Amino acid sequence: MGTLANELNYSIPSNTAIMSHPAHATLGQSSYPRLTRSLSAIESWGFGLTAHISWTALVPAIHAALGSQAIFVWIPAVIFGMLLNYQVKRLGMHFINVAGGTPNYTTKLLQNYPGLASYAAIGYLLNWVSYLAVNTIVLKDLIKVNLEALGIACPDIFLEISFTLLPFIVAFSGTRALSILHLFFVIPAFGLLITFCVQGLCWLAFSPVSPGFFPSSWSPLSFVDWAKWFFFVTYATYSCETASSFVADSRHPTQTLRFLDVAAWMMPPIFLGGSWVVMRLATDPNLKDNAFLNLVAASLPFWGRFAGVSVSFLLVAASLLGSATVVSNCPRILYQLSLDNHISPVFSVVSRRGMFVPALTLTLVLCLIYLIWGDVARIVAVGNIGWFVSFMLLHLGLWLRRDRPEVLFPRISLGILLLEVVVLLVGGFAWGWLNLLIGLLFPIGVMGIDAVIRRVKFPAFHPSWWMRRYRTRPVVIIKDSVILQVSILIFLLCSAVAVGWLFGVKLNKIATVGGENIFVVLLMSVAFVGVAIACWTTLPQVVAIAEARESAEHLFTVAQDGILVVDNQGIIQQANPATESFFGVSPSELPGNHLNKWLPALVYYPEQWTKRSEQILIGNGKNRTLEVSISDRPHQDFQEYVVILHDITQRKQAEQILRYSEAQLRQEAKQLVSQLVHSEKMSSLGQLVAGVAHEINNPINFISGNVGYANQYIQDLLRLLQLYQQNYPNPVTEIQKQTEAIDLDFLIADLPSLLTSMTVGAERITEIVLSLRNFSRLDNAEMKAVNIHEGIDNTLMILEHRLKPKSNNLVIEVIKEYGDLPLVECYAGQLNQVFMNLLANAIDALEEAVENGEWEVREEALSTPQISILTKLTSENQVVICIGDNGIGIPEKVQKQLFEPFFTTKPVNKGTGLGLSISHQIITQKHQGKLECISAPGKGTEFIIVIPLNQQAI
């Protein structure tokens, strides 16, 4: 148990409930274990044959009491047992994860009646525990009789304790060892039992010395006797569904449940055929109810001198295998009851290898209570009462859940229930009212013990104590387990020789018939003892080695890296499945080839290889980079090397991409810095323009506001002067001289025109200031709906000086084709910056063509430089703005680089190469639009801007 301590599994299955007892409130779902599916189907089948073999202990008693009439008890009991097997199989298919079998299926059927459900399950459990106590007493009596014949005295208490603890010692070490041991003996025992039944029936039917297949007369059978013995034989016929107890930890649960069909059809040849052989051949009244004598008498006619040893083997096998089954299925019953909140949660503690320590402990305590309390007859009578009531409640549950698909034969179940009620009352009283009362109260007493366990604060009564114990106890693994195993083997062999020699001496001194019987008992007992010793000594080491091997093989199989084993010549010996993705060859085809066939850079001998290196693998026209790690593994006679192949091609590519990304990021950072500088300049320019516009606006407002008044005042003065001239036509000489000096007539004629020019100039300045303010858009940093046409016009106003004729007398004509646009959601200031860049570039292109004299060679129809501006709204609510010129155009090669940062075709210090790049970012990133250039040499250039009408709808 120590070596298995740290291997507990503490996860809960989905079909279990969390217990609500306050003492365990701190435990969550993850605290409850689930069974590991470790048993093979055939191992669970072995447990399903135990009840058939137990028939050997029951048939003598009913035969001695009823004679040939006993067959009328066996027939209905077998029919009911077969129906029960089919019903339990259907329930098991429905409750596929429920451990414990029939009693725990009953609790599911009676889930609305938790008290009855708990009573049924515990009554079933107590009968199996009583079976263990009965087996102990039977084995004790058998050993004692045979030892006394050899003159060897052995105390009863020693034999009882030994045969009680023997199956528990194996069970406390895990489930697999016990199931394998059980299977090893149950197959020959069951085969021998079938042989007895078939051979006996054939001998009765065909032997010339047979007493006849049928008796010559039948004695009457009262209903009381029938009920009494029907109640008795259900001890065996109802228990042939034992395999269902192991469904939850079977690797193939459906196959385990299908065995119930086989178990059902094995009942007639054994329970009916075997009983008929005993009743027809064991007719001596002196045999009484002795199982050994009755079976020997029945088999002696056809087995002869082998009858004694064969019967001894059957009886010992029935007892030991029955005990092994008890310590296997009883803990599972308690385990599932604990998960379903019917008993204390401490019984749900179980290791990954099937160690039900608290449940086994309770089973042992109940068995000792039986042994201390009574003899075989009382134990069987009391134990069978709870058992019988348990199946009554099962049939009740089937009737209550008759509408469920997992319930078969509900009406038949109701009829069996009514018959069982009568049998319990009649047969139970026939076995003694005191036994009936004790049998009915015993499950209630166990429920009371459980209530005490739930409430007492003793640490061992709580699952958390067991969990901490298992987690903290160190795993004891003996590194050199070969020494231990050889030592134990020597001890067992020496002990076997010594015991054989002692018994040989005794047998030589005392001539006795039947000495082979004690040999059979000792053989099976020593086998159980030997397995028990191995379970606590060498088996944990063997299991640890097997698990380590399985883990290594699993890792070798599922590893994503290629793993190769090569010899000291570099020849591949083994390869895992992952190598196929490296070499493109099935792993089965790799052994026998040298590794340098695929990795040519490796030299011939592995001892010269570098422990870790990078190799190039060429395959399918692609180069892959592999990281090759080599580790040597020394052996006594040779040396192997483990080669691990790890594909680092993507890592290498990622490193290359990273280096490229770093260079690209540095370039982008440089561009970003330039863009930030440019943006800062544009921002500063916008602030400067806005500031200048503001400063000009104040005085021009003063001028434009006062020009009107000045004009009015001057007109008043001129009218007054005219009045003086009319009334005083002959002024004094001094006035005449001054009039001639200032040319009064010209002044009177020109002064109104002068004032009109001043008014027009003030208005022009006001328009320019307004355009500057609108272009800077300092009040429009956020997105808002604006008039696009106004932004274009303001930009043209600022650029108007560049549109006027120069020394070459060529004027740039602007053609506007404005569509009917509503207000457009945009960043107005940034969009105006785009208009400025595109219009300025168009003017630059036209001026460059004029300055280079290229315009004179153009066709007459295109002799006037033009800039065209077109706007429209599409049906998809997309605003289209086209700004084109009729210049010399842009070559296709240059067009591909137009929007790249720092690309420019202008002379040094005339262009930064950021205007179109920034414009492209403003349109595509800020406005989620498109900016395209359509141009061809000699056919002009057109920039097309497309932005959504409503940015917030994107």
Side-chain angles (χ1 to χ4, degrees), residues 715-730:
Q715 293 295 333
D716 291 342
L717 290 175
L718 290 177
R719 284 194 296 271
L720 180 61
L721 180 60
Q722 290 176 356
L723 289 176
Y724 269 104
Q725 288 178 338
Q726 293 175 3
N727 293 313
Y728 299 100
N730 298 314

Side-chain angles (χ1 to χ4, degrees), residues 484-558:
L484 177 63
Q485 295 177 38
V486 172
S487 300
I488 293 175
L489 181 60
I490 294 172
F491 170 76
L492 292 176
L493 290 175
C494 294
S495 300
V497 171
V499 171
W501 180 78
L502 290 175
F503 276 95
V505 172
K506 290 289 184 180
L507 289 173
N508 288 330
K509 291 182 178 180
I510 304 175
T512 179
V513 177
E516 65 274 9
N517 297 340
I518 191 63
F519 168 75
V520 171
V521 176
L522 289 176
L523 177 65
M524 297 192 66
S525 300
V526 169
F528 269 75
V529 172
V531 172
I533 295 174
C535 287
W536 286 81
T537 54
T538 61
L539 185 61
Q541 311 302 320
V542 174
V543 171
I545 293 171
E547 288 183 345
R549 178 182 56 80
E550 291 175 359
S551 177
E553 290 178 351
H554 178 71
L555 181 62
F556 184 77
T557 303
V558 304

Side-chain angles (χ1 to χ4, degrees), residues 361-381:
T361 303
L362 178 62
T363 304
L364 177 61
V365 171
L366 294 175
C367 179
L368 294 176
I369 291 175
Y370 272 123
L371 287 174
I372 296 172
W373 173 70
D375 54 16
V376 173
R378 297 181 64 184
I379 293 173
V380 171

Side-chain angles (χ1 to χ4, degrees), residues 4 34 46 127 137 161 163 165 178 235 297 326 395 398 480 560 619 649 749 768 775 786 800 845 856 885 888:
L4 308 178
R34 64 181 178 88
N127 183 65
I137 297 174
I161 293 176
F163 283 108
L165 295 180
L178 190 61
Y235 192 81
V326 170
H395 291 122
L398 293 172
D480 192 359
Q560 297 298 313
T649 305
I768 292 174
F775 178 80
V786 299
E800 186 175 357
E856 285 77 3
D885 64 73
I888 60 176

Side-chain angles (χ1 to χ4, degrees), residues 402-413:
R402 57 187 176 275
D403 57 336
R404 301 291 298 173
E406 64 270 19
V407 176
L408 293 174
F409 325 122
R411 295 182 183 276
I412 295 177
S413 297

